Amino acid sequence: MPLQKPLHVGIAGDLQARVESGEWKPGARIPSIRDLATELGVSPFTVASAVRQLKSGGKLETIHGKGTYVARVEPSLSPPVVADLSWQNALLRQPISTRANAVVQPFIHQAALPADTVMLAGGGEAIDVLATKSLVSAWRGLLNHLSSDLLEGWSPVGEVRTREWMAGYLAKAGINAKPEQVIVTSGGQQALSLVAQALLGPDDTVLVERPMYPFALSIFDLLGVRCIDVPVDEQGRWVLVAEDLIERFRPKLVLTVPTGQVPTGATMPLEQRRVLLQAARRHGIMILEDDHGSEISYDRPPPPAIKSLDTHGHVIYAKSFSKITLRALRIGCLVADGLVLDALRNAKLISDRYTSTILQEAFLAYVTRPSFSRDLTRYRKTFRERRDAMLAALQQEMPDGVTWTTPASGAYLWLTVPPGVSAREVALRGRANGVVVANSSPFFAQGDPDTGFRLTFTDNEVDRLTLGVQRLAAAVKDAMRDREQGGSLQSLAAMAYG
């Protein structure tokens, strides 16, 4: 039985036909999402998804504050002159280029993919689940009460009200930080970058989990930092061998994502958190604890943050709020103590002077609403349903020899293919089958074993997740059959990005 295309794909085709037939002429404003949804008898979300698809394909364009229009096609008077810019290659740091390209290429080329392609390589933000109406309402309320103080004031560490709210919010998780210990950052990524800038330089060493969040590794690449990685496991046992590596390599910093580890989804038990903190104290080093969304834990509340156990200033706590508000707000924070806190304040001032005060106010307007806690409960319920759906589909569809993690928190799991099968080749086959996954190469600091990839489950509905797993399983089976027959995938090499 052929697989049905998602409803928004068919709607996009109908709308595109209106453009191509001339019913909607270039430069004409199209009806609103609400009016189209009423006309077509579908939800506004379905119509919005169809419109986004046509915008990515260049058929429609949005003019801020005015609406969505049929894109104008400007005639080209002469072919553009393309200069040879290959000389720039000598100026680039190749490790950064290689890792970053591996992460962003699926998204750069997304518009060129077939419309029904299932993206399992996303960043985890679920637009269809987030409380966008509440966020928009909060933003409108803010715009109606803008003051000159808000437009003119700024602070490198963040507005007082923002830091007070963050300190109170973190206190609920056991982190007893004063507002003066909080630095508001432009997202979680900047928080990691500021720590690296304040503490690290060329030839310094950092201990990281294996696999690890690739954009953190890219920061270390940029600074010429040496990364020593430790294979992570779902029981947190990697910390038991970490002390031997600390004694051997003398790192300045240990980077860990103890709750909903990226990309495996593993959560470190409380006892292992204590062990890691004790090792940091014995050796006089720092722990950078990255919390990208511990609120979204599924089967039980997560263990206390490592920072909540810290009494001697050995833990820098980096928090992102993107997964529970909106990525576009770019709001995160750092919590630290002593001279390290002073160094982080200086790094923030040098980096971008301050995080937008207007975005901080928009953030506060939402998170201080009573609906915020209800939204978190709804996110957990929906994301758990999606996690369970992906796990069930993997169990149903994947052949023997394929293994995967069971995330206790977060948006991701890690899938490992059988020995002798190339994960990169599976990813290429999957792309040809209509599913895109995050290839393993950018997640490893010390060489890509080519054995697995990250799957995201929060940003697709259940039927799309199931379809994506079915297509991926077909790619795995093809690769396993090819291995058994001694064949090759040279014909797929042309499909590789870049």
Side-chain angles (χ1 to χ4, degrees):
M1 181 177 178
L3 296 170
Q4 292 185 341
K5 292 185 176 181
L7 180 58
H8 78 274
V9 175
I11 297 296
D14 292 341
L15 301 184
Q16 182 169 335
R18 299 186 187 190
V19 174
E20 294 176 348
S21 68
E23 178 182 348
W24 288 353
K25 300 185 181 300
R29 181 178 180 179
I30 72 169
S32 68
I33 297 294
R34 187 186 300 267
D35 290 344
L36 285 172
T38 301
E39 174 190 342
L40 299 171
V42 297
S43 72
F45 175 76
T46 299
V47 175
S49 298
V51 168
R52 280 198 301 271
Q53 180 177 319
L54 293 181
K55 286 165 62 178
S56 68
K59 298 294 184 181
L60 301 176
E61 59 184 358
T62 295
I63 300 177
H64 182 68
K66 294 185 177 181
T68 302
Y69 294 76
V70 179
R72 295 182 182 274
V73 179
E74 299 293 341
S76 176
L77 300 179
S78 60
V81 177
V82 180
D84 180 8
L85 303 180
S86 59
W87 63 270
Q88 295 178 352
N89 290 338
L91 307 180
L92 299 178
R93 299 178 71 97
Q94 188 60 31
I96 302 170
S97 175
T98 300
R99 192 184 306 281
N101 280 340
V103 177
V104 303
Q105 287 300 326
F107 305 100
I108 292 175
H109 293 282
Q110 187 172 357
L113 295 171
D116 67 339
T117 298
V118 181
M119 290 291 292
L120 299 182
E125 185 178 50
I127 296 296
D128 64 315
V129 179
L130 293 178
T132 50
K133 290 183 178 179
S134 293
L135 288 160
V136 170
S137 176
W139 178 254
R140 285 175 176 164
L142 169 65
L143 292 178
N144 290 332
H145 298 89
L146 283 178
S147 66
S148 59
D149 290 342
L150 176 60
L151 294 174
E152 297 172 4
W154 63 276
S155 169
V157 294
E159 297 306 298
V160 173
R161 289 181 59 241
T162 310
R163 290 185 285 115
E164 287 177 343
W165 181 88
M166 289 178 171
Y169 182 79
L170 297 179
K172 298 175 183 177
I175 299 175
N176 296 315
K178 298 177 182 178
E180 303 85 65
Q181 293 176 263
V182 177
I183 300 174
V184 180
T185 64
S186 301
Q189 178 71 13
Q190 189 191 46
L192 302 182
S193 181
L194 293 178
V195 173
Q197 293 173 43
L199 269 67
L200 304 172
D203 302 321
D204 282 335
T205 300
V206 174
L207 197 64
V208 300
E209 295 162 336
R210 174 186 176 91
M212 169 51 70
Y213 174 56
F215 285 109
L217 298 178
S218 294
I219 292 171
F220 300 143
D221 289 340
L222 178 64
L223 296 176
V225 173
R226 179 189 188 191
C227 289
I228 304 297
D229 55 12
V230 189
V232 72
D233 63 273
E234 293 185 88
Q235 293 75 39
R237 292 172 299 195
W238 71 269
V239 303
L240 303 178
V241 301
E243 188 160 11
D244 290 338
L245 294 174
I246 292 172
E247 291 179 350
R248 179 179 175 187
F249 294 103
R250 302 294 179 183
K252 276 190 177 181
L253 184 73
V254 176
L255 171 59
T256 180
V257 188
T259 302
Q261 197 267 351
V262 182
T264 66
T267 291
M268 185 189 299
L270 176 58
E271 185 54 37
Q272 273 67 46
R273 297 178 189 225
R274 289 195 176 106
V275 169
L276 184 59
L277 180 57
Q278 290 165 1
R281 288 186 60 183
R282 278 193 295 270
H283 295 278
I285 63 174
M286 299 297 301
I287 296 171
L288 174 53
E289 179 178 14
D290 181 9
D291 180 358
H292 65 94
S294 57
E295 300 88 344
I296 311 300
S297 292
Y298 304 116
D299 304 311
R300 63 187 64 86
I306 303 174
K307 183 61 180 173
S308 71
L309 310 173
D310 179 32
T311 57
H312 290 76
H314 286 277
V315 181
I316 304 169
Y317 179 81
K319 174 67 180 171
S320 168
F321 291 97
S322 295
K323 295 292 190 297
I324 58 173
T325 57
L326 194 66
R327 187 185 306 165
L329 286 176
R330 305 308 302 148
I331 298 294
C333 72
L334 284 167
V335 177
D337 313 90
L339 295 177
V340 168
L341 176 60
D342 293 337
L344 291 172
R345 288 169 176 161
N346 290 339
K348 172 63 177 174
L349 181 61
I350 295 169
S351 176
D352 65 352
R353 297 184 65 199
Y354 62 97
T355 296
S356 166
T357 54
I358 295 179
L359 292 182
Q360 289 182 59
E361 289 294 327
F363 171 80
L364 285 175
Y366 170 60
V367 298
T368 55
R369 290 187 167 205
S371 60
F372 176 57
S373 61
R374 296 195 296 271
D375 291 337
L376 288 181
T377 299
R378 182 169 55 85
Y379 298 163
R380 279 190 291 269
K381 180 177 182 295
T382 303
F383 295 158
R384 178 174 180 172
E385 290 172 353
R386 295 181 178 186
R387 179 202 67 167
D388 291 348
M390 176 171 276
L391 292 174
L394 290 170
Q395 187 65 42
Q396 177 70 28
E397 302 292 339
M398 286 296 169
D400 292 342
V402 178
T403 60
W404 52 88
T405 58
T406 300
S409 181
Y412 314 104
L413 63 80
W414 187 260
L415 186 141
T416 303
V417 295
V421 174
S422 165
R424 177 172 172 77
E425 292 177 349
V426 169
L428 291 173
R429 286 186 183 273
R431 184 171 181 268
N433 286 355
V435 59
V436 177
V437 297
N439 196 22
S440 64
S441 59
F443 295 90
F444 291 86
Q446 295 178 288
D448 174 20
D450 195 24
T451 57
F453 30 76
R454 185 191 73 183
L455 304 182
T456 309
F457 55 83
T458 55
D459 53 359
N460 277 292
E461 296 180 356
V462 166
D463 60 339
R464 296 285 290 166
L465 291 172
T466 302
L467 175 61
V469 170
Q470 289 171 348
R471 292 174 173 178
L472 182 60
V476 173
K477 293 171 184 175
D478 286 347
M480 293 176 66
R481 184 166 50 250
D482 183 84
R483 179 198 61 180
E484 292 170 358
Q485 296 174 354
S488 68
L489 287 176
Q490 292 179 355
S491 61
L492 289 172
M495 300 178 63
Y497 295 121

